[in-house]
Amino acid sequence: MQEPRIDHLRRSIAAVGEEQTAYWNFFEPFATELVDRLAEYLGEPSSVSLAPIDGHFDFDRGRWGTGCLRLHMGRMVIPLMVRLRNLKDDGNLTLRVRLRCLLDGDVVVADFEGQAALSVRRDDFESLLKYVYEYLCVACSRSNWFAENPGDYRDTAMGFCASARSGLTSR
């Protein structure tokens, strides 16, 4: 007797569930270790946290756990928040980046949307940290910042503030 078609569908869904479970089992500790290592790599332990994919985030409320990880379009999205303390005052700027990862056996394929992907062994954090840092360097570069964030810089304590602008005159 031939197996009912519904059983074929059930096995297909069970296989998808097993793969998703494998993703979660790998990426939850991986993301936590990535945050710890990235903070160390950047040189400030309190400068990196997992964060919600979007919306409000506050470093003062402590680090977020792995509950903010998301599977999206077949990739695990690891949302990272990086705090850049100002050099001349007590303010800071926070940047949210979303690292997208695929797991292919012993290889993690990571990318940021619109950027070339990086393939690394699961335990090769050094290459991944360098990849994230280089992405942050581009995001924080003068030419990129003004092109991508025309209104954001002026409203942070990193640059000039509204009261300082009021005394400026155009030439």
Side-chain angles (χ1 to χ4, degrees):
M1 179 170 146
Q2 187 179 19
E3 166 181 72
R5 288 180 182 90
I6 194 80
D7 288 343
H8 171 74
L9 296 174
R10 289 178 181 141
R11 276 196 311 284
S12 295
I13 291 301
V16 169
E18 286 175 12
E19 187 173 353
Q20 286 185 343
T21 299
Y23 260 58
W24 285 104
N25 289 340
F26 172 74
F27 280 111
E28 284 184 321
F30 179 86
T32 300
E33 188 169 355
L34 175 64
V35 166
D36 292 340
R37 287 181 180 234
L38 183 59
E40 183 180 319
Y41 185 84
L42 294 176
E44 189 172 327
S46 63
S47 65
V48 181
S49 178
L50 291 171
I53 293 272
D54 52 29
H56 180 72
F57 176 81
D58 186 352
F59 268 97
D60 294 333
R61 293 189 178 180
R63 291 173 111 183
W64 280 60
T66 55
C68 55
L69 301 179
R70 293 289 180 263
L71 276 171
H72 180 71
M73 306 285 289
R75 293 183 171 115
M76 182 61 75
V77 179
I78 303 174
L80 302 167
M81 193 66 82
V82 179
R83 176 172 44 193
L84 303 172
R85 295 183 192 275
N86 296 350
L87 295 175
K88 296 184 179 185
D89 60 37
D90 292 335
N92 64 76
L93 174 74
T94 54
L95 297 175
R96 176 183 282 125
V97 296
R98 296 167 189 92
L99 184 65
R100 305 175 322 166
C101 299
L102 291 171
L103 183 58
D104 185 12
D106 287 338
V107 174
V108 173
V109 180
D111 76 349
F112 292 102
E113 190 170 342
Q115 302 298 308
L118 172 73
S119 295
V120 296
R121 291 182 333 276
R122 331 174 134 208
D123 60 349
D124 184 5
F125 278 94
E126 282 303 312
S127 295
L128 187 56
L129 295 173
K130 183 178 177 191
Y131 179 77
V132 172
Y133 176 69
E134 288 173 354
Y135 179 79
L136 290 170
C137 286
V138 170
C140 293
S141 71
R142 182 178 182 273
S143 59
N144 188 57
W145 189 267
F146 282 99
E148 298 294 323
N149 305 290
D152 294 343
Y153 186 78
R154 71 170 178 262
D155 295 324
T156 70
M158 282 181 70
F160 50 87
C161 61
S163 60
R165 281 197 315 263
S166 64
L168 298 177
T169 58
S170 58
R171 295 182 188 239

